[in-house]
Amino acid sequence: MSDALVIFTPSGKRGRFALGTPVLTAARQLGVDLDSVCGGRGICSKCQISPGIGEYSKHGVTVAADALSEWNAVEQRYHDKRGLKEGRRLGCQAKVMGDVVIDVPAESQVHRQVVRKAATARAMTMDPATRLYFVEVQEPDMHEPSGDFERLAKALRTEWQVPEITAGLDVLRKLQPTLREGKWRVTVALHKDHKPGPHRVLDIWPGLYEGGLYGLAIDLGSTTIAAHLTDLRTGEVVTSSGIMNPQIRFGEDLMSRVSYAMMNPGGDIEMTRAVREGMDTLIAAITEDAQITAREIMEAVIVCNPVMHHLFLGIDPVELGQAPFALATSDAISLDIRDLGMKAMNPAARGYLLPCIAGHVGADAAAVALSESPETSEDLVLVVDVGTNAEILLGDKRRVLACSSPTGPAFEGAQISSGQRAAPGAIEKIEIDPVTKEPRFRVIGCELWSDEAGFDEATAQTGITGICGSGIIEAVAEMRMAGLVDASGLIGSAEQTGTWRCQPEGRTHAYLIHDATATGGPRITVTQGDIRAIQLAKSALYAGARLLMDEIGTDHVDRVVLAGAFGAHISSKHAMVLGMIPDALLKNVTSAGNAAGTGARMALCSIAARNAIEGTVRRIHKVETAIEPRFQEHFVNANALPHAVDKFPELGKIVTLPDVSFNTGGGDSDGGRRRRRRG
Ligand code: FES
C-alpha cells in the first residue's frame, strides 16, 4: 500500500494520500479547517487532532492502531512543556501511515462556529480580520542586499501565501530588534481588510507569541457606551462593561446635541473629545478588569446612530439636524484607531464602523440587520429596536425597508411621573385584577409579587422607588384591560371605574399603584400625562412600522422581533394591547436581546459578515418618516389603544378589551392629538 484513505470529521472531507504525508498537509489539501500559527514547526500546538481507532462502518474503514506515525520527539517536547490532552496529536507531526479517521476538535478550527447566546441563536462563523503568523525570516546577506521588512514580506509570501504586506512606522521601528531577539523567528499579527489591499502588520513579537489577541465590539449609544472584549481566536466575550456617554452633559437626546453643535462654535469638537475620552476610559477599565494589556487589543468594531457616528469621527453633525438629513458618508469606515487620538488599544489597532443606512438610520440599525438578517427571512419580519429613537426594519428575502421614528424617552421611563431607569426597586411587572381593580406588582431585585408573603421584607433594602420602562407599558396595558382607561387613553374617575384608586389630579385622574408616603416613601401613580406620553411614543413606533407596511403593500406581518435591552424585558402581550406593534400571533413576537451589540460582535469576528452587511445595507430601501405625509395620518390613528382603525384579530383571541368610554363631553384637557418630533 503506497497511499491511504484519510477522513476528517466533523467536515466529512476525505482523500487518499501518500504514506508519510503529515496530517496538516492532508488537511490543507482537502481544505479542512485545521489551525496553525507556526506553519507546521511543532511549536504552536494549534494543529491538534484526535485520531480514531477501530471500526468505522459509517465511513467503511477500519483504523489500525498504527494508522498514524509514532508519537515523536517534537510532540513529546510539547507535551512535557505544556501537556497535550489524552488522545491528541499534533497534526503537523503525525503522518498518515494507514487508513484513518481524524477528528478536528473545535479549538483547532480557525473558522469554528460560535453559538450566540440570544434566544434565536444562530451560529456565527469565526473569520477574523486579525490573525497571528509565525515565520522564519532570512538573515541579511551583504551579497543580496534587501531590507528586513522586505525579507519578512518574502517569508510571509512563501510560508503563508500572503501576497503583500504593509506596516506603520511603529512596527517598522521595532522590526529590527525583534527579528534579532527572536533569532529571525517572529510572530506577526496581520490584519486583512475585507476590501482588496495589502495585509497590514499590526504588531510583531520575537519567537512564538503566546499572548492574547483581542478585539472590542462597541455599542456607542446616545445614553450609554457598552463594550464587549472578545477573544479574536475563539469569538468568546471575555468581559463586557459600560459607562454613561459623557456627552450627556451637552444634551440628553441627539437633537439637543446637534443644536449644541449649531449654537456653540467648537461645540462639536468638545463633544468629539468627550466621547473619545469616555471610550478610552471604558477600554482601559475593561483591560484592567480582564488583566490584559492595551497592546493585546488589535481591533474595535463600533456601531452607533448617525449623530454619534459623526461626533465620534469628528465630523460636525449639523447636516443631520435638518432636511434632507445628509450624512457625510454612509459607507462603512475602516481606520486606524490612533487617528482618533485614542490610546487604550494597540497603537496600530484598526477600527471598523458599520455603514449607516440613512440620515436617521445608523450603523446601529445596520448591526441589528446583521444580527437578525431579515433579508434571509422566508416570512415577513418586523424588527424594532426601541430606544429614544426606534429603528424599524421590515422585510423578507425579497426586500427590506428601514426607517427610524422619534419615540422619545417615555419607553425608557423618562418623562413619566413615577418613571425611573431599570434599577433595583423599580416596578417592572404589574397585574391589575379586572374585578377588584387592585394591583399587584414585582420590582427589580425581588422575585416575589407584592401580595406574596415576605415581599415587604425582601424589598426593605431597595424600597419601591418608581416604574421602569417595561413596567409602565404593563401598567398602561393592564389599566386598559381592567377597564380603567378607555380606548382614547382617558383614565376614568372613581365613580366610572368603581375603584378608589382612580383619584382626581387636576382636571384628570391618576391610578394609584403604591403609596408609601406614610413611611416617607414615594406615591407611585400612573397619571393622565403618563398615558399621553406613552401614547405619543407608541404612536410614533406604530406609525413607522405602518409606513413600511404600506410601502410593501401589506397590513399584516408574520413575525415581530423586539431588539434592544428594553425589548428583552417587554411583555409582548402588553405591547400589543397598547398597539405598540402590529397584530401578530403572540408566539411570533420574540426578543432578540441586544441585537446591535451582537451585530457588532459578528462584524468583529468575521470579515465575511462585514462584506455581507455592506451589501445588505446597499439594498435596504430607506423611508424617511419626517417628510412622509402618511406618517402623520398613521400617527393620529395609532393614538387609540390599541388602534383607531387597524384591527387586532390575534390579540382579540386572547384578550377582550372592555368597551368603556370616559369622555363626559367636556373634552380631554390634555390634547391627546398633539405631537412633536424628538431626536
Ligand atoms: S502547526 Fe504549530 S504545532 Fe503544529
Side-chain angles (χ1 to χ4, degrees), residues 24 28 35-48 74 78 90-93 160 208:
L24 180 64
R28 291 218 165 134
D35 199 2
S36 159
V37 167
C38 73
R41 290 180 179 80
I43 53 175
C44 74
S45 87
K46 298 289 177 211
C47 61
Q48 292 183 32
V74 176
Y78 187 84
L90 293 182
C92 61
Q93 301 302 313
W160 293 101
L208 181 72

Tab-separated table of all heavy atoms in Angstrom, residues 24 28 35-48 74 78 90-93 160 208, ligand 1:
chain	number	residue	atom	x	y	z
A	24	LEU	N	-1.474	17.644	8.792
A	24	LEU	CA	-1.730	19.060	8.484
A	24	LEU	C	-1.717	19.298	6.978
A	24	LEU	O	-2.561	20.023	6.436
A	24	LEU	CB	-0.684	19.951	9.180
A	24	LEU	CG	-0.809	21.456	8.947
A	24	LEU	CD1	-2.103	22.019	9.524
A	24	LEU	CD2	0.383	22.210	9.562
A	28	ARG	N	-4.796	20.585	4.670
A	28	ARG	CA	-4.727	21.769	3.795
A	28	ARG	C	-5.151	21.429	2.384
A	28	ARG	O	-5.866	22.179	1.744
A	28	ARG	CB	-3.292	22.284	3.780
A	28	ARG	CG	-2.924	22.873	5.118
A	28	ARG	CD	-2.059	24.081	4.919
A	28	ARG	NE	-2.008	24.817	6.155
A	28	ARG	CZ	-0.895	25.298	6.674
A	28	ARG	NH1	0.255	25.130	6.050
A	28	ARG	NH2	-0.939	25.977	7.788
A	35	ASP	N	-6.185	24.629	12.213
A	35	ASP	CA	-5.412	25.840	12.510
A	35	ASP	C	-3.911	25.561	12.538
A	35	ASP	O	-3.472	24.432	12.764
A	35	ASP	CB	-5.864	26.385	13.876
A	35	ASP	CG	-5.497	27.842	14.073
A	35	ASP	OD1	-4.919	28.456	13.151
A	35	ASP	OD2	-5.801	28.387	15.158
A	36	SER	N	-3.139	26.616	12.322
A	36	SER	CA	-1.693	26.554	12.501
A	36	SER	C	-1.194	27.971	12.578
A	36	SER	O	-1.578	28.804	11.771
A	36	SER	CB	-1.051	25.847	11.304
A	36	SER	OG	0.317	26.201	11.229
A	37	VAL	N	-0.389	28.263	13.574
A	37	VAL	CA	0.239	29.582	13.632
A	37	VAL	C	1.714	29.459	13.248
A	37	VAL	O	2.289	30.319	12.622
A	37	VAL	CB	0.084	30.203	15.047
A	37	VAL	CG1	0.984	31.424	15.220
A	37	VAL	CG2	-1.359	30.613	15.283
A	38	CYS	N	2.321	28.293	13.596
A	38	CYS	CA	3.768	28.160	13.401
A	38	CYS	C	4.114	27.551	12.049
A	38	CYS	O	5.287	27.354	11.739
A	38	CYS	CB	4.383	27.359	14.537
A	38	CYS	SG	4.014	25.599	14.463
A	39	GLY	N	3.110	27.230	11.251
A	39	GLY	CA	3.396	26.713	9.920
A	39	GLY	C	3.952	25.297	9.956
A	39	GLY	O	4.751	24.923	9.102
A	40	GLY	N	3.572	24.511	10.955
A	40	GLY	CA	3.966	23.110	10.974
A	40	GLY	C	5.297	22.847	11.649
A	40	GLY	O	5.911	21.807	11.443
A	41	ARG	N	5.744	23.772	12.463
A	41	ARG	CA	7.039	23.577	13.121
A	41	ARG	C	6.910	22.873	14.473
A	41	ARG	O	7.894	22.689	15.173
A	41	ARG	CB	7.718	24.924	13.324
A	41	ARG	CG	8.179	25.535	12.031
A	41	ARG	CD	8.847	26.873	12.297
A	41	ARG	NE	9.324	27.458	11.071
A	41	ARG	CZ	8.565	28.107	10.207
A	41	ARG	NH1	7.280	28.246	10.430
A	41	ARG	NH2	9.080	28.610	9.111
A	42	GLY	N	5.716	22.559	14.850
A	42	GLY	CA	5.548	21.827	16.107
A	42	GLY	C	5.719	22.676	17.345
A	42	GLY	O	6.064	22.165	18.402
A	43	ILE	N	5.480	23.965	17.242
A	43	ILE	CA	5.647	24.777	18.450
A	43	ILE	C	4.382	25.533	18.873
A	43	ILE	O	4.313	26.023	19.986
A	43	ILE	CB	6.824	25.786	18.326
A	43	ILE	CG1	6.692	26.629	17.069
A	43	ILE	CG2	8.156	25.073	18.371
A	43	ILE	CD1	7.750	27.714	16.966
A	44	CYS	N	3.398	25.630	17.999
A	44	CYS	CA	2.239	26.450	18.393
A	44	CYS	C	1.105	25.618	18.991
A	44	CYS	O	0.241	26.147	19.679
A	44	CYS	CB	1.724	27.263	17.216
A	44	CYS	SG	0.836	26.306	15.984
A	45	SER	N	1.053	24.338	18.674
A	45	SER	CA	0.043	23.399	19.174
A	45	SER	C	-1.370	23.702	18.698
A	45	SER	O	-2.332	23.153	19.215
A	45	SER	CB	0.059	23.322	20.698
A	45	SER	OG	-0.758	24.320	21.248
A	46	LYS	N	-1.489	24.600	17.710
A	46	LYS	CA	-2.838	24.947	17.227
A	46	LYS	C	-3.432	23.839	16.360
A	46	LYS	O	-4.617	23.845	16.066
A	46	LYS	CB	-2.783	26.239	16.392
A	46	LYS	CG	-2.318	27.437	17.176
A	46	LYS	CD	-3.375	27.869	18.157
A	46	LYS	CE	-2.885	29.019	18.990
A	46	LYS	NZ	-3.453	29.039	20.313
A	47	CYS	N	-2.566	22.911	15.892
A	47	CYS	CA	-2.996	21.925	14.892
A	47	CYS	C	-3.455	20.620	15.528
A	47	CYS	O	-3.471	19.588	14.860
A	47	CYS	CB	-1.830	21.651	13.954
A	47	CYS	SG	-0.425	20.969	14.849
A	48	GLN	N	-3.834	20.651	16.812
A	48	GLN	CA	-4.165	19.391	17.489
A	48	GLN	C	-5.325	18.644	16.834
A	48	GLN	O	-6.322	19.248	16.437
A	48	GLN	CB	-4.538	19.677	18.946
A	48	GLN	CG	-3.361	20.149	19.749
A	48	GLN	CD	-3.732	20.364	21.200
A	48	GLN	OE1	-4.603	19.669	21.739
A	48	GLN	NE2	-3.079	21.321	21.826
A	74	VAL	N	9.126	15.854	18.945
A	74	VAL	CA	8.562	17.203	18.981
A	74	VAL	C	7.284	17.210	19.827
A	74	VAL	O	7.069	18.084	20.664
A	74	VAL	CB	8.252	17.689	17.543
A	74	VAL	CG1	7.570	19.037	17.567
A	74	VAL	CG2	9.510	17.728	16.705
A	78	TYR	N	6.589	19.086	23.403
A	78	TYR	CA	5.436	19.953	23.664
A	78	TYR	C	4.639	19.429	24.862
A	78	TYR	O	4.236	20.187	25.738
A	78	TYR	CB	4.534	20.070	22.423
A	78	TYR	CG	3.470	21.098	22.668
A	78	TYR	CD1	3.725	22.447	22.455
A	78	TYR	CD2	2.243	20.733	23.228
A	78	TYR	CE1	2.791	23.404	22.768
A	78	TYR	CE2	1.296	21.693	23.550
A	78	TYR	CZ	1.574	23.018	23.312
A	78	TYR	OH	0.656	23.965	23.642
A	90	LEU	N	-0.254	16.241	17.420
A	90	LEU	CA	-0.044	17.475	16.654
A	90	LEU	C	-0.166	17.110	15.172
A	90	LEU	O	0.573	16.245	14.674
A	90	LEU	CB	1.335	18.068	16.948
A	90	LEU	CG	1.560	18.597	18.365
A	90	LEU	CD1	2.951	19.190	18.512
A	90	LEU	CD2	0.503	19.646	18.730
A	91	GLY	N	-1.073	17.770	14.503
A	91	GLY	CA	-1.356	17.429	13.108
A	91	GLY	C	-0.166	17.659	12.190
A	91	GLY	O	-0.061	17.040	11.126
A	92	CYS	N	0.741	18.532	12.589
A	92	CYS	CA	1.886	18.791	11.719
A	92	CYS	C	2.975	17.734	11.912
A	92	CYS	O	3.874	17.613	11.091
A	92	CYS	CB	2.447	20.190	11.961
A	92	CYS	SG	3.028	20.449	13.638
A	93	GLN	N	2.872	16.977	13.000
A	93	GLN	CA	3.904	15.977	13.279
A	93	GLN	C	3.442	14.563	12.914
A	93	GLN	O	4.225	13.754	12.416
A	93	GLN	CB	4.282	16.028	14.767
A	93	GLN	CG	4.798	17.369	15.217
A	93	GLN	CD	6.025	17.817	14.435
A	93	GLN	OE1	6.973	17.045	14.242
A	93	GLN	NE2	6.003	19.040	13.945
A	160	TRP	N	3.151	31.491	3.977
A	160	TRP	CA	1.724	31.651	4.262
A	160	TRP	C	0.918	32.188	3.087
A	160	TRP	O	-0.253	32.525	3.241
A	160	TRP	CB	1.521	32.591	5.465
A	160	TRP	CG	2.025	32.014	6.754
A	160	TRP	CD1	3.192	32.318	7.374
A	160	TRP	CD2	1.386	31.030	7.557
A	160	TRP	NE1	3.328	31.597	8.518
A	160	TRP	CE2	2.227	30.791	8.666
A	160	TRP	CE3	0.193	30.323	7.459
A	160	TRP	CZ2	1.915	29.878	9.658
A	160	TRP	CZ3	-0.118	29.419	8.451
A	160	TRP	CH2	0.738	29.201	9.542
A	208	LEU	N	7.737	32.604	19.147
A	208	LEU	CA	6.306	32.312	19.072
A	208	LEU	C	5.577	33.143	20.110
A	208	LEU	O	5.858	33.032	21.296
A	208	LEU	CB	6.055	30.821	19.327
A	208	LEU	CG	4.585	30.423	19.253
A	208	LEU	CD1	4.081	30.439	17.823
A	208	LEU	CD2	4.352	29.057	19.881
B	1	FES	S1	1.221	23.692	13.301
B	1	FES	FE1	2.073	24.569	15.021
B	1	FES	S2	2.340	22.872	16.287
B	1	FES	FE2	1.573	22.001	14.528
